[in-house]
Amino acid sequence: MNKNNKSFNNEESVSPELTGSVMFDTTDWIKLKTLQLFSIIDSFKISLFLDEQVTLVIDRQISGPFSLIFTLQQLNERGINNLTYFEDLKVTDKTKSIIFLCRPRLELIQKISQFKQQKQNSLKYYLIAIPNLDASSNYLLESEGLLDYLKIESYDFGFIPYDNDLFSMEIGDFYSRCFVENDNYQLNSIGKSFIKLQQLYGPFKTIVGKGSKSLIISEHIEQFQTLIPPIEQSKLKTLILIDRTVDLIPLLCTQQTYQGLIDEEIKISNSQSIIIEKDVEIREQVLVSPPTQEPKKFEERVIRIEKEKKKLPLSPFTDLFYQQVKDLSFSSVPTMLYLNAQSISNGMNELKKSNSQLLSLPEIKKLLSKIPDVNKKQQLLELHTEIVQELLKRVNSDDFHQKISIEFEMLFQMSNNFIGSNGNTASSVLDFIENLIIRKKPMYQVLRLLSICCLTVTIKDQKQYQNILKSFIHVYGIQEMTTLMRLEKAGLLGNNNLKFKLSSQLFKNFNLIINENSSSSSSSKDNDSDKLKEYDQVYQGYIPLITRIIEEGQKNKQQGWFNKSLESKLNCIDQPFFIKELQTTSDYDLNSFTMVMFVGGVSFAEISSLRTLKKKYGRGCGYDFIFGTTSLINGDNFLKNL
């Protein structure tokens, strides 16, 4: 039976092999990060009297990662009675100590200063800076006169578990600061997080990387590798570091997996929940006059429709159906819902048919134990049915299909590099983008398509391109001129010689486009068709370059990454490629993991693309991945953070 046709009524359907998730135990890591923060709080030596309270004030930007590691019960046990945000900062008369937990920046430091001036010196103030207090933040605190009143400590979240095989550092502005502004300050923090990870799970044997920022991180790891204690059996084997600038296109393209599309259209919050808006009819009794001589009467009518926000849980740790379908193409999810609903219905019918008079007491007990499990599965299906209905409203629109089509057309023409057709493609794409601007479609949808166009096809008509920019400023406002300038500085917009533009040779070297019509023989067509079914769930026949690089590097067990063929292909990308063998006495086996670190952010669809490699090659072949990233992003928030 096809894997996509299995229900989640049995354990096999949610095993790691099916979901693509590597079961990497993150419990010890969470315990370590919890103890580190609590040791900082203990170092403040706050006196905990029965009539005194401690308030923890959290930066809203880190509230999500914070909730994934700490619980209210743990905080209460440490004497923290109140939890609030900077925007809602209020304290009771019993509050004697305030702990500020934040990434220090101007607006938050000013709020601390204003609050202190209101309360004078009646409270004790503490600051936990994430990941640490840099020179600019220290200057801001000094200029506000806070250094003498605050006891300051640093705390680094490091890697935050977002899934069984996924860690994120959630540094939202990393790409902007590191790649655009060339500020390498945060790279040291990433290197330290890898040292702590190895201290817990064992040392890496090999570090492979592509990109200048990845090279700096590897040097930080090498520098402190002596801090790692001897561990007989290491759970980590290979570390693959990839700069985001190696391939920007997957971030800009529309994700087509279930999890990716949810993040695109609804936005996943901390990998734990989503918020959808529903139309709610507001009805009132209205006095109406009938057309005849009958007396007036009251009728209930809709007087207005209001938007109501609804929060839905979406956890990859506890939601079995979500584990099963998150990496699949969205088009297959409605079918999966139907099959699972049918399976639950059959199970309920079996329960009803069971004759309790003919059953023994142990059999009745076993029968009753199934009811809560069936109810839970039913609730999960109802939840995902609601999500799918919301997505279908957006996915079934003509605009959505045209957007997907135009994205693939640009990538396909880049792959084939037809003489003369590349320029024609650019012209038709720019016409489409101009039409979106005229209709005042979402700004970042326009910018994503324009960026893909600049990074792939050759724009011959520069006058048409300049007119597009003028129309953009006219429609979205003169204030968005700075947005265009930032994107140009980031290398996403501009002329035909952009630094991060992918060459057609690169598309061919790594076979980034799989197309059923491109093969000459029927057998090769069948082979391409099989491949297309495998990868179609991520992007429409387009395979991210990073996925191809890792697939080829891990495929050859003898040579591995020491592969002249792979190195010559990577030379098309003007960024350093390196392989480092680390000195270690640990043992490695088939259960040792390969960690892939995306330096600059990654989308859910790209992770799904790499998870397909394990399904393709099986366990123990070098594709047992765990993933790390500076942040989980999609095309919209990637551009916004620039």
Side-chain angles (χ1 to χ4, degrees):
M1 183 184 285
N2 190 305
K3 290 178 182 178
N4 292 356
N5 291 334
K6 290 185 179 180
S7 70
F8 70 135
N9 277 334
N10 52 67
E11 293 180 4
E12 182 185 5
S13 64
V14 294
S15 67
E17 295 297 331
L18 249 178
T19 64
S21 296
V22 180
M23 300 306 291
F24 186 81
D25 187 8
T26 61
T27 308
D28 291 340
W29 179 258
I30 293 174
K31 287 179 180 177
L32 174 65
K33 303 314 293 182
T34 304
L35 288 172
Q36 285 176 343
L37 180 65
F38 289 159
S39 65
I40 291 173
I41 294 175
D42 291 342
S43 73
F44 292 151
K45 297 180 180 179
I46 301 172
S47 298
L48 303 177
F49 296 103
L50 293 176
D51 59 339
E52 294 184 1
Q53 293 186 349
V54 180
T55 297
L56 180 64
V57 185
I58 300 181
D59 178 0
R60 197 175 287 275
Q61 288 186 5
I62 64 167
S63 61
F66 185 85
S67 66
L68 292 174
I69 299 178
F70 306 97
T71 64
L72 287 174
Q73 182 181 350
Q74 289 174 326
L75 296 173
N76 290 333
E77 289 172 357
R78 288 287 162 168
I80 295 173
N81 314 96
N82 300 315
L83 192 65
T84 185
Y85 297 109
F86 278 84
E87 297 84 353
D88 313 315
L89 181 50
K90 292 179 182 178
V91 295
T92 64
D93 294 335
K94 290 184 178 181
T95 301
K96 299 300 178 183
S97 302
I98 294 186
I99 303 173
F100 298 100
L101 180 69
C102 65
R103 288 195 173 108
R105 54 188 186 276
L106 178 60
E107 62 268 28
L108 297 187
I109 291 173
Q110 287 177 337
K111 285 182 179 180
I112 295 173
S113 178
Q114 291 168 6
F115 182 79
K116 183 196 163 296
Q117 289 172 7
Q118 292 172 2
K119 293 292 179 179
Q120 298 301 322
N121 297 324
S122 59
L123 300 173
K124 294 179 181 179
Y125 300 95
Y126 306 88
L127 172 63
I128 302 177
I130 297 176
N132 45 42
L133 195 68
D134 57 20
S136 60
S137 300
N138 192 76
Y139 173 77
L140 290 172
L141 288 170
E142 186 178 9
S143 63
E144 293 288 342
L146 293 172
L147 285 180
D148 294 335
Y149 298 95
L150 283 171
K151 184 173 181 180
I152 303 171
E153 294 287 348
S154 296
Y155 174 74
D156 189 0
F157 274 119
F159 293 111
I160 303 159
Y162 272 66
D163 204 335
N164 293 319
D165 60 349
L166 174 61
F167 292 91
S168 176
M169 303 187 77
E170 288 306 287
I171 311 173
D173 62 348
F174 180 87
Y175 188 92
S176 176
R177 292 184 64 174
C178 192
F179 288 99
V180 181
E181 304 296 340
N182 201 29
D183 179 1
N184 294 334
Y185 179 75
Q186 293 169 323
L187 297 180
N188 185 43
S189 176
I190 297 174
K192 287 180 179 178
S193 293
F194 275 115
I195 295 299
K196 291 174 184 175
L197 197 70
Q198 291 179 91
Q199 287 172 339
L200 201 58
Y201 294 106
F204 291 108
K205 183 180 181 182
T206 308
I207 300 179
V208 183
K210 182 70 176 175
S212 57
K213 307 302 179 184
S214 294
L215 181 59
I216 295 172
I217 294 172
S218 70
E219 290 169 353
H220 280 302
I221 296 173
E222 281 187 301
Q223 184 180 354
F224 297 102
Q225 199 69 12
T226 54
L227 299 177
I228 300 170
I231 296 177
E232 183 178 349
Q233 183 68 47
S234 178
K235 294 182 182 179
L236 305 171
K237 184 177 182 181
T238 305
L239 173 61
I240 303 172
L241 297 165
I242 301 284
D243 275 17
R244 181 69 268 174
T245 51
V246 168
D247 186 14
L248 291 168
I249 290 175
L251 278 184
L252 300 167
C253 288
T254 304
Q255 303 175 73
Q256 296 179 50
T257 59
Y258 182 51
Q259 188 178 33
L261 198 59
I262 292 173
D263 193 44
E264 287 274 356
E265 298 295 331
I266 303 174
K267 181 67 180 115
I268 299 175
S269 175
N270 308 314
S271 195
Q272 295 292 309
S273 63
I274 59 174
I275 296 176
I276 62 173
E277 286 189 347
K278 300 190 74 175
D279 291 334
V280 179
E281 295 180 346
I282 306 300
R283 296 174 175 269
E284 279 189 7
Q285 295 287 337
V286 179
L287 188 64
V288 295
S289 301
T292 60
Q293 296 299 321
E294 296 178 14
K296 294 180 180 180
K297 60 181 181 180
F298 283 96
E299 287 185 4
E300 190 179 73
R301 291 186 179 180
V302 177
I303 58 170
R304 67 180 183 277
I305 295 177
E306 294 182 352
K307 294 287 185 182
E308 181 183 74
K309 290 186 177 181
K310 183 178 181 181
K311 187 175 182 179
L312 301 177
L314 194 70
S315 172
F317 296 105
T318 58
D319 189 331
L320 300 183
F321 182 78
Y322 187 47
Q323 289 177 27
Q324 187 183 0
V325 302
K326 64 185 178 185
D327 297 319
L328 300 180
S329 168
F330 174 69
S331 60
S332 64
V333 176
T335 304
M336 294 288 287
L337 280 171
Y338 171 76
L339 292 172
N340 280 279
Q342 195 174 45
S343 177
I344 289 175
S345 177
N346 293 337
M348 292 294 289
N349 289 335
E350 288 180 11
L351 288 174
K352 291 176 182 178
K353 289 178 182 177
S354 300
N355 191 338
S356 59
Q357 293 181 349
L358 302 178
L359 297 177
S360 64
L361 191 60
E363 289 174 329
I364 293 175
K365 189 176 180 180
K366 184 179 179 181
L367 188 67
L368 292 174
S369 67
K370 293 180 180 179
I371 295 176
D373 190 42
V374 171
N375 289 337
K376 182 179 178 181
K377 290 171 183 175
Q378 186 177 350
Q379 290 171 4
L380 289 176
L381 288 187
E382 290 172 354
L383 166 68
H384 287 280
T385 300
E386 189 171 356
I387 295 172
V388 168
Q389 286 175 337
E390 184 66 27
L391 288 175
L392 284 173
K393 294 176 187 176
R394 310 173 192 218
V395 170
N396 287 337
S397 67
D398 290 337
D399 283 343
F400 184 87
H401 289 291
Q402 288 174 354
K403 179 176 66 171
I404 297 293
S405 178
I406 209 78
E407 287 174 2
F408 184 75
E409 184 181 347
M410 286 186 278
L411 298 172
F412 180 72
Q413 296 295 348
M414 187 66 182
S415 173
N416 289 275
N417 197 23
F418 295 138
I419 298 174
S421 64
N422 207 304
N424 295 333
T425 299
S427 180
S428 64
V429 169
L430 292 177
D431 286 339
F432 178 77
I433 293 173
E434 188 171 21
N435 180 263
L436 293 178
I437 294 172
I438 292 170
R439 294 159 60 199
K440 205 170 183 179
K441 289 295 178 178
M443 184 179 76
Y444 287 102
Q445 177 185 337
V446 172
L447 290 175
R448 286 171 69 169
L449 287 173
L450 191 57
S451 297
I452 296 172
C453 182
C454 291
L455 290 170
T456 53
V457 300
T458 303
I459 302 175
K460 294 182 177 180
D461 191 347
Q462 285 297 313
K463 185 178 179 181
Q464 185 184 15
Y465 174 72
Q466 293 300 325
N467 287 336
I468 289 285
L469 299 183
K470 290 177 183 177
S471 299
F472 181 89
I473 294 169
H474 176 73
V475 172
Y476 297 103
I478 190 70
Q479 72 277 4
E480 299 304 338
M481 184 179 289
T482 56
T483 303
L484 296 177
M485 292 170 65
R486 290 284 292 177
L487 293 183
E488 286 184 3
K489 185 178 180 181
L492 296 173
L493 297 180
N495 56 35
N496 294 318
N497 298 313
L498 292 178
K499 181 181 179 181
F500 304 127
K501 188 165 189 171
L502 297 184
S503 65
S504 57
Q505 189 61 44
L506 200 61
F507 271 74
K508 291 177 182 177
N509 285 347
F510 287 97
N511 192 24
L512 301 185
I513 298 292
I514 295 179
N515 185 49
E516 291 179 275
N517 300 321
S518 62
S519 305
S520 55
S521 67
S522 59
S523 61
S524 61
K525 281 183 181 179
D526 292 338
N527 187 42
D528 263 8
S529 179
D530 292 339
K531 290 180 182 177
L532 187 61
K533 289 175 184 176
E534 175 136 6
Y535 290 107
D536 184 52
Q537 57 195 30
V538 181
Y539 299 99
Q540 191 177 332
Y542 165 67
I543 303 168
L545 173 62
I546 293 174
T547 300
R548 281 300 203 197
I549 292 173
I550 293 173
E551 180 179 18
E552 188 158 338
Q554 295 287 100
K555 188 186 296 184
N556 194 325
K557 291 185 180 179
Q558 283 72 36
Q559 292 180 311
W561 289 88
F562 296 96
N563 188 332
K564 292 295 181 184
S565 172
L566 175 61
E567 195 170 347
S568 63
K569 290 179 181 180
L570 289 173
N571 286 336
C572 295
I573 307 171
D574 186 23
Q575 297 189 52
F577 173 66
F578 59 90
I579 303 173
K580 298 182 179 183
E581 292 290 335
L582 303 179
Q583 297 296 322
T584 174
T585 57
S586 296
D587 294 328
Y588 303 87
D589 57 21
L590 295 179
N591 294 318
S592 298
F593 295 90
T594 296
M595 185 167 187
V596 182
M597 177 67 185
F598 294 86
V599 183
V602 68
S603 66
F604 286 111
E606 288 178 282
I607 293 170
S608 296
S609 176
L610 284 165
R611 284 174 179 149
T612 61
L613 295 180
K614 183 178 174 197
K615 295 178 184 178
K616 182 177 179 181
Y617 293 100
R619 179 150 192 176
C621 297
Y623 300 97
D624 297 319
F625 295 124
I626 53 175
F627 305 99
T629 179
T630 51
S631 59
L632 287 165
I633 52 179
N634 56 41
D636 284 1
N637 56 37
F638 171 64
L639 296 181
K640 287 175 185 176
N641 287 330
L642 292 176

